[in-house]
């Protein structure tokens, strides 16, 4: 009779708990133990073909997925307490088709053990080693060779040294994406050789405040297209335009969320990245005093080549509105304080006049002349009231009961052409007559 075991990966301490077993196994789990028990045909109901348990077939090396397991090409084995590789022959047999592997939040602290896993997965493209205790472990060149086929490497919250990072970038010829978040970096160490293949660097939540450190990425990764620097408190961008153009010739996207930028000159310098198309700039001190509309408009106007701001497409119409807003926003600035971009936009649109301040709210009151027989009196009336309510207001003015008066509205501008308009419907609101100051209300007694 088989014993039911399956892996529940996810306890807070990162250890795998085995439900149905008499004791919890807390240390020394191997990659193959976790893999085989998680995807065992006995525990994985959607298997194909006959067989029980994990079987390594005889014959040429390859993945027996079709015969024994529904082992997916994307393996997620995070928080399983893995500390070593296990049998390399089994890894090679079962993982030949695997392309993505998540080993985050395990207990891996030996690069040689990780290398044993990776070297036996020949098609591995993506590897996540986040939150493994690797900060004190050196990576030698012979071990790094096992990672040669990886294109996307995630080392978040590992606190790996820059020497380890450079070893990877030297030994992985087609590395395209590198994730180094939460590693407490305050500086960036130079490398003997650049990594021309890297396109994306995700290095958020470190402490890279000095541009002299950030600029090193241009030398390290000359083909960099996407730079994600959020939550680093970068205080300024110090290089000249020519230097920025030379350092980051391919940069298309930059994320500076929650940086410490506090100057419009820093925003203007983004224009010197020759291929920049997308910018993310939320949560910076410079923009705290502006409204949301002002923030977006002023940034769009400053960055004429950017087509995506904070994740939203900048349309042609929005850009024109923003640029016109930028001109009007700076109309009262002294000449010596006007930004360079202001003069460029004045050349494009001319020196625009301020927009007229038009109050489109409906009028609430009007002062009208009330005529009754030979009596004329200037009365302020509420326009949100009805004809019946106006009659009540005029009782004391004309000394007539509401039932004994007819009201006529006289528009002072068109009275000669159309004459008085009888206000015969008691429930009609006064604002529907478009009454304005200076118009007349004629009160005629019904008894006459």
């Amino acid at each position: 009779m088989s014993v039911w075991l399956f892996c529940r990966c996810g306890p807070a301490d990162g250890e795998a708990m085995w439900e149905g077993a008499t004791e919890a196994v807390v240390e020394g789990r191997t990659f193959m133990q976790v893999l085989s028990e998680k995807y065992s045909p006995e525990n994985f109901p959607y298997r194909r073909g006959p067989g029980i348990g994990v079987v390594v077939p005889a014959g040429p090396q390859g993945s027996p997925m079709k015969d024994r397991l529904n082992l997916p090409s994307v393996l997620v084995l995070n928080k399983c307490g893995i500390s070593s590789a296990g049998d390399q022959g089994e890894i090679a047999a079962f993982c030949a088709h695997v392309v993505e592997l998540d080993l985050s939040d395990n207990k891996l602290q030996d690069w040689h053990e990780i290398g044993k896993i990776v070297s036996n997965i020949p098609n591995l493209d993506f590897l996540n080693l986040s939150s493994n205790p690797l900060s004190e472990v050196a990576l030698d060149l012979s071990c790094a060779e096992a990672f040669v086929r990886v294109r996307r490497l995630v080392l978040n919250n590992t606190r790996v040294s820059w020497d380890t990072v450079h070893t990877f970038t030297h030994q992985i010829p087609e590395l395209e994406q590198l994730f180094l978040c939460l590693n407490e970096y305050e500086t960036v160490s130079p490398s003997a050789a650049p990594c021309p293949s890297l396109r994306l660097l995700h290095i958020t939540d470190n402490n890279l405040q000095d541009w002299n450190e950030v600029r090193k990425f241009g030398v390290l990764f000359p083909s960099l297209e996407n730079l994600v620097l959020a939550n680093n408190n970068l205080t300024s961008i110090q290089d000249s335009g020519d230097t920025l153009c030379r350092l980051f010739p391919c940069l298309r996207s930059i994320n500076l969320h929650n940086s410490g930028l506090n100057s419009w000159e820093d925003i203007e310098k983004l224009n010197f990245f020759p291929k920049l198309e997308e910018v993310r700039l939320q949560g910076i001190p410079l923009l705290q005093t502006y409204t949301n509309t002002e923030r977006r408009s002023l940034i769009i106007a400053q960055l004429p080549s950017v087509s995506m701001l904070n994740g939203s497409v900048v349309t042609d119409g929005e850009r024109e509105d923003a640029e016109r807003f930028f001109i009007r926003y700076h109309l009262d600035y002294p000449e010596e304080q006007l930004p360079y971009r202001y003069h460029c936009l004045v050349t494009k649109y001319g020196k625009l006049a301020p927009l007229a301040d038009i109050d489109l709210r409906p009028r609430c009151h009007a002062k009208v002349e009330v005529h009754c027989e030979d009596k004329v009196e200037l009365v302020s009336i509420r326009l949100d009231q009805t004809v019946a309510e106006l009659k009540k207001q005029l009782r004391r003015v004309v000394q007539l009961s509401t039932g004994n008066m007819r009201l006529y509205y006289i528009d002072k501008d068109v009275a000669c052409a159309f004459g008085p308009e009888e206000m015969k419907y008691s429930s009609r609101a006064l604002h529907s007559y478009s009454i304005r100051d200076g118009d007349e209300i004629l009160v005629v007694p019904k008894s006459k």
Side-chain angles (χ1 to χ4, degrees):
M1 181 176 178
S2 300
V3 179
W4 244 67
L5 293 175
F6 65 90
C7 178
R8 183 183 67 195
C9 299
D13 61 359
E15 297 175 354
M17 302 298 294
W18 306 96
E19 296 181 353
T22 57
E23 296 181 1
V25 182
V26 295
E27 293 290 351
R29 305 306 296 170
T30 70
F31 173 81
M32 268 315 301
Q33 283 176 314
V34 172
L35 182 67
S36 62
E37 291 173 357
K38 181 174 182 180
Y39 293 102
S40 167
E42 197 170 69
N43 300 325
F44 198 83
Y46 303 106
R47 67 186 186 277
R48 297 188 186 95
I52 297 176
V54 177
V55 179
V56 181
Q61 178 173 305
S63 175
M65 181 181 73
K66 292 183 179 179
D67 298 326
R68 300 292 184 183
L69 295 177
N70 272 342
L71 194 65
S73 61
V74 176
L75 297 182
V76 179
L77 300 175
N78 63 315
K79 297 183 179 180
C80 291
I82 299 172
S83 61
S84 59
D87 189 288
Q88 295 186 64
E90 292 184 354
I91 297 174
F94 284 99
C95 297
H97 65 290
V98 171
V99 294
E100 296 189 12
L101 176 60
D102 183 354
L103 292 174
S104 60
D105 286 289
N106 279 291
K107 298 181 177 181
L108 294 163
Q109 52 185 337
D110 186 335
W111 285 114
H112 290 282
E113 290 299 319
I114 300 172
K116 292 176 184 177
I117 299 172
V118 174
S119 63
N120 287 288
I121 308 178
N123 294 304
L124 190 64
D125 178 271
F126 171 87
L127 176 62
N128 185 357
L129 294 172
S130 297
S131 300
N132 279 283
L134 296 166
S135 59
E136 305 298 327
V137 189
L139 174 66
D140 57 55
L141 291 177
S142 60
C143 183
E145 291 175 357
F147 298 80
V148 67
R149 289 175 293 275
V150 174
R151 293 174 180 264
R152 295 172 291 159
L153 180 61
V154 185
L155 298 170
N156 297 337
N157 196 32
T158 56
R159 296 173 178 79
V160 294
S161 68
W162 280 108
D163 287 339
T164 296
V165 173
H166 296 328
T167 300
F168 275 126
T169 59
H170 295 166
Q171 295 300 312
I172 306 178
E174 297 183 8
L175 184 65
E176 294 182 357
Q177 299 181 8
L178 181 60
F179 295 75
L180 297 172
C181 309
L182 295 163
N183 282 334
E184 300 183 354
Y185 295 140
E186 296 182 0
T187 60
V188 178
S189 299
S191 173
C195 177
S197 62
L198 198 74
R199 299 292 186 269
L200 180 148
L201 177 62
H202 209 291
I203 193 164
T204 67
D205 297 278
N206 284 281
N207 196 27
L208 298 172
Q209 301 183 34
D210 191 340
W211 178 257
N212 287 325
E213 301 301 321
V214 174
R215 72 192 302 276
K216 296 175 184 177
F217 295 138
V219 178
L220 292 172
F221 313 117
S223 301
L224 194 65
E225 296 179 359
N226 299 283
L227 178 58
V228 185
L229 272 170
N231 304 325
N232 268 287
N233 203 29
L234 177 68
T235 55
S236 65
I237 300 174
Q238 297 167 348
D239 280 317
S240 67
D242 291 342
T243 302
L244 292 174
C245 182
R246 176 174 51 82
L247 284 173
F248 296 95
C250 301
L251 193 67
R252 296 182 180 276
S253 174
I254 189 167
N255 185 332
L256 295 167
H257 280 344
N258 299 319
S259 64
L261 298 181
N262 200 24
S263 167
W264 281 110
E265 286 74 17
D266 292 321
I267 308 302
E268 291 176 356
K269 285 185 177 181
L270 298 178
N271 287 310
F272 293 109
F273 298 129
K275 294 188 177 181
L276 192 66
E277 299 172 343
E278 179 178 3
V279 172
R280 292 178 182 267
L281 267 175
Q282 292 180 325
I284 66 174
L286 172 65
L287 302 176
Q288 288 180 354
T289 60
Y290 298 93
T291 66
N292 289 336
T293 300
E294 289 173 340
R295 290 170 189 162
R296 186 168 176 85
S297 295
L298 293 174
I299 293 175
I300 289 173
Q302 287 273 22
L303 303 176
S305 299
V306 169
S307 57
M308 182 82 73
L309 176 63
N310 296 331
S312 298
V313 174
V314 179
T315 65
D316 292 341
E318 183 183 22
R319 180 170 301 284
E320 180 175 344
D321 290 343
E323 291 174 344
R324 290 178 177 275
F325 173 85
F326 189 90
I327 294 174
R328 293 188 172 100
Y329 186 87
H330 290 91
L331 284 179
D332 296 329
Y333 276 53
E335 183 68 26
E336 64 274 11
Q337 295 182 17
L338 290 172
Y340 171 76
R341 184 63 179 156
Y342 171 85
H343 300 290
C344 296
L345 293 176
V346 167
T347 301
K348 181 177 180 179
Y349 295 105
K351 199 166 186 178
L352 305 178
L355 292 174
D357 187 10
I358 301 174
D359 188 356
L360 298 177
R361 293 173 297 179
R363 294 178 58 86
C364 298
H365 296 82
K367 291 183 178 180
V368 297
E369 292 182 358
V370 177
H371 294 255
C372 184
E373 298 181 325
D374 296 331
K375 186 178 181 180
V376 179
E377 187 168 337
L378 188 64
V379 178
S380 177
I381 62 174
R382 288 187 5 255
L383 299 179
D384 61 345
Q385 63 183 338
T386 63
V387 172
E389 291 170 330
L390 176 60
K391 287 182 178 181
K392 292 179 182 179
Q393 180 183 353
L394 297 180
R395 283 182 303 184
R396 288 177 293 178
V397 177
V398 298
Q399 301 299 312
L400 293 172
S401 66
T402 57
N404 192 33
M405 63 173 78
R406 281 196 179 94
L407 300 186
Y408 296 85
Y409 166 57
I410 302 174
D411 186 327
K412 62 181 180 181
D413 294 330
V414 297
C416 295
F418 298 101
E421 178 183 356
E422 184 174 0
M423 305 170 77
K424 61 174 67 174
Y425 300 108
S426 298
S427 60
R428 183 174 174 181
L430 297 187
H431 64 73
S432 65
Y433 289 95
S434 300
I435 299 173
R436 294 165 296 171
D437 290 342
D439 289 345
E440 300 176 8
I441 301 294
L442 176 63
V443 182
V444 179
K446 286 185 179 181
S447 56
K448 287 194 175 185

